[in-house]
Amino acid sequence: MSLVDLSKHVALGIDIGGTNTKFGVVNHRGDVLEKGNIRTDAYPTVEGYIDALYEAVFPLIENYGEEKNFDGIGVGAPNANYYTGTIEQAPNLPWKGTIPFAELIKAKFGIPCTITNDANAAAIGEMLFGAARGMKDFIMITLGTGVGSGIVAGGKLIYGHDGFAGELGHTIVKPGGRKHWSTGSEGCLEAYASATGIAITAKKMRAEFPESMLNQYPEESINSKTVHECAIKGDPISMEVFRYTGQKLGEALANFVMFSSPEAILLFGGVIKAGDFILKPTKLHMERNLLPIFRNKVKLVFSELDEADAAILGASALVWEK
């Protein structure tokens, strides 16, 4: 494909999260030409979800299809298998079992579809257009409804023999600890460092400290955003929620560093809006638990890309990567 041809080609990038799905039309330069979103958790069946997604996306395809050529659809989703095009046993999605997602999308849209883990898609986006440009060894950690990860070594994403490598959010950080709401495992990183885990920690701590600002909110309003708001106002319990979360995350990151010796770990997702409230304790406990040969070598940085755009860009890049 020549450069002239490339100017007329676009891809659709879709980022499926546990709560929301974000999508965008992307050109070969990495410009998100137009984007939108729908709720993921509003559709109990995958067929209903795909119908709603098609309804939301089709105007974009019609709009850009007049002058552009759609090369394909790239999808980032929890527990997505790059090799088979399926979503398998995703704990944070409403559809259980093995879903032939790429096949269903192709049948509905009439456009080829490639799929990978949502965190892998974010890692690709960061590597091409963000803070990981030029890096060949880094780890992307997504902190949203769940905790995802994308591991890049030697400039390539690590998929493993079956397509499921890189589920760092489900590694055990506290044996016998907090039970995961979906998988039933005890003490995994996701149970502590995700937005869901932060809400659980906050609810527990506010019950122990009636003087906390968090008690001004009803139970259903306690989330990472309200904890951040209270921390900004100086509430010590809210600050402790982030300190504790950062400790668990930092301890886990130390293990990840000693496994693959990355140049950097990139943090991405809604939770990082807490800024230094979570970054400082994370960095402290990561360094504290590293062997001396690894200390002060690994950059711990926030994503440079818009929260939605990183995964959309990465997902769209799958189309041209094949």
Side-chain angles (χ1 to χ4, degrees):
M1 191 182 293
S2 70
L3 288 176
V4 174
D5 291 329
L6 279 173
S7 67
K8 297 181 179 180
H9 285 253
V10 294
L12 181 69
I14 301 173
D15 169 39
I16 303 176
T19 305
N20 294 299
T21 292
K22 301 163 186 174
F23 54 84
V25 177
V26 181
N27 65 20
H28 71 285
R29 292 183 297 273
D31 301 318
V32 181
L33 305 177
E34 192 170 346
K35 57 186 176 181
N37 65 84
I38 65 169
R39 296 281 297 193
T40 307
D41 56 7
Y43 305 95
T45 68
V46 70
E47 291 81 9
Y49 168 82
I50 289 177
D51 286 344
L53 182 63
Y54 181 81
E55 188 175 334
V57 167
F58 188 71
L60 275 65
I61 294 177
E62 275 198 316
N63 185 26
Y64 289 93
E66 293 177 1
E67 297 181 359
K68 308 278 186 181
N69 293 313
F70 266 88
D71 286 338
I73 297 173
V75 180
N79 283 35
N81 192 318
Y82 177 78
Y83 296 143
T84 63
T86 56
I87 297 175
E88 303 181 25
Q89 312 294 339
N92 295 315
L93 295 182
W95 329 302
K96 305 308 175 186
T98 298
I99 310 293
F101 197 84
E103 184 180 310
L104 291 172
I105 288 287
K106 183 179 179 181
K108 183 70 176 180
F109 286 76
I111 300 173
C113 177
T114 306
I115 192 169
T116 192
N117 178 283
D118 50 347
N120 284 343
I124 294 172
E126 203 71 47
M127 182 165 53
L128 293 177
F129 308 111
R133 278 172 301 199
M135 292 186 191
K136 291 187 176 181
D137 296 271
F138 70 94
I139 297 174
M140 184 86 167
I141 302 290
T142 61
L143 302 169
T145 305
V147 174
S149 60
I151 304 169
V152 174
K156 295 185 177 181
L157 271 166
I158 303 300
Y159 284 109
H161 82 282
D162 59 355
F164 288 118
E167 284 292 345
L168 299 179
H170 293 283
T171 56
I172 303 301
V173 296
K174 187 177 182 181
R178 182 179 295 170
K179 188 173 182 178
H180 191 278
W181 48 90
S182 181
T183 68
S185 69
E186 296 180 346
C188 71
L189 178 61
E190 183 167 284
Y192 296 95
S194 64
T196 312
I198 289 172
I200 293 171
T201 301
K203 290 173 184 178
K204 180 179 178 181
M205 288 190 179
R206 79 171 190 157
E208 297 171 357
F209 298 93
E211 70 277 11
S212 172
M213 289 183 188
L214 292 170
N215 287 295
Q216 298 172 6
Y217 295 86
E219 182 86 357
E220 63 273 13
S221 296
I222 299 298
N223 53 41
S224 59
K225 181 181 178 182
T226 52
V227 177
H228 185 210
E229 290 171 354
C230 290
I232 291 173
K233 293 175 183 176
D235 179 42
I237 305 308
S238 298
M239 294 180 189
E240 175 59 18
V241 170
F242 284 122
R243 190 213 63 77
Y244 178 75
T245 302
Q247 177 179 346
K248 290 300 174 196
L249 179 58
E251 290 168 352
L253 295 184
N255 284 331
F256 305 159
V257 166
M258 291 185 285
F259 164 69
S260 66
S261 191
E263 179 180 345
I265 294 178
L266 278 66
L267 302 179
F268 168 79
V271 170
I272 69 170
K273 292 175 182 176
D276 281 345
F277 286 120
I278 194 164
L279 183 63
K280 285 185 176 180
T282 299
K283 177 73 170 176
L284 173 67
H285 289 279
M286 182 183 82
E287 295 292 348
R288 183 176 290 174
N289 287 279
L290 286 172
L291 289 173
I293 56 170
F294 294 106
R295 284 182 197 149
N296 301 311
K297 286 183 178 179
V298 181
K299 290 178 281 189
L300 185 61
V301 296
F302 289 157
S303 167
E304 289 183 354
L305 299 179
D306 178 88
E307 186 182 338
D309 287 356
I312 289 173
L313 288 167
S316 66
L318 290 169
V319 172
W320 295 304
E321 190 182 44
K322 292 194 75 177

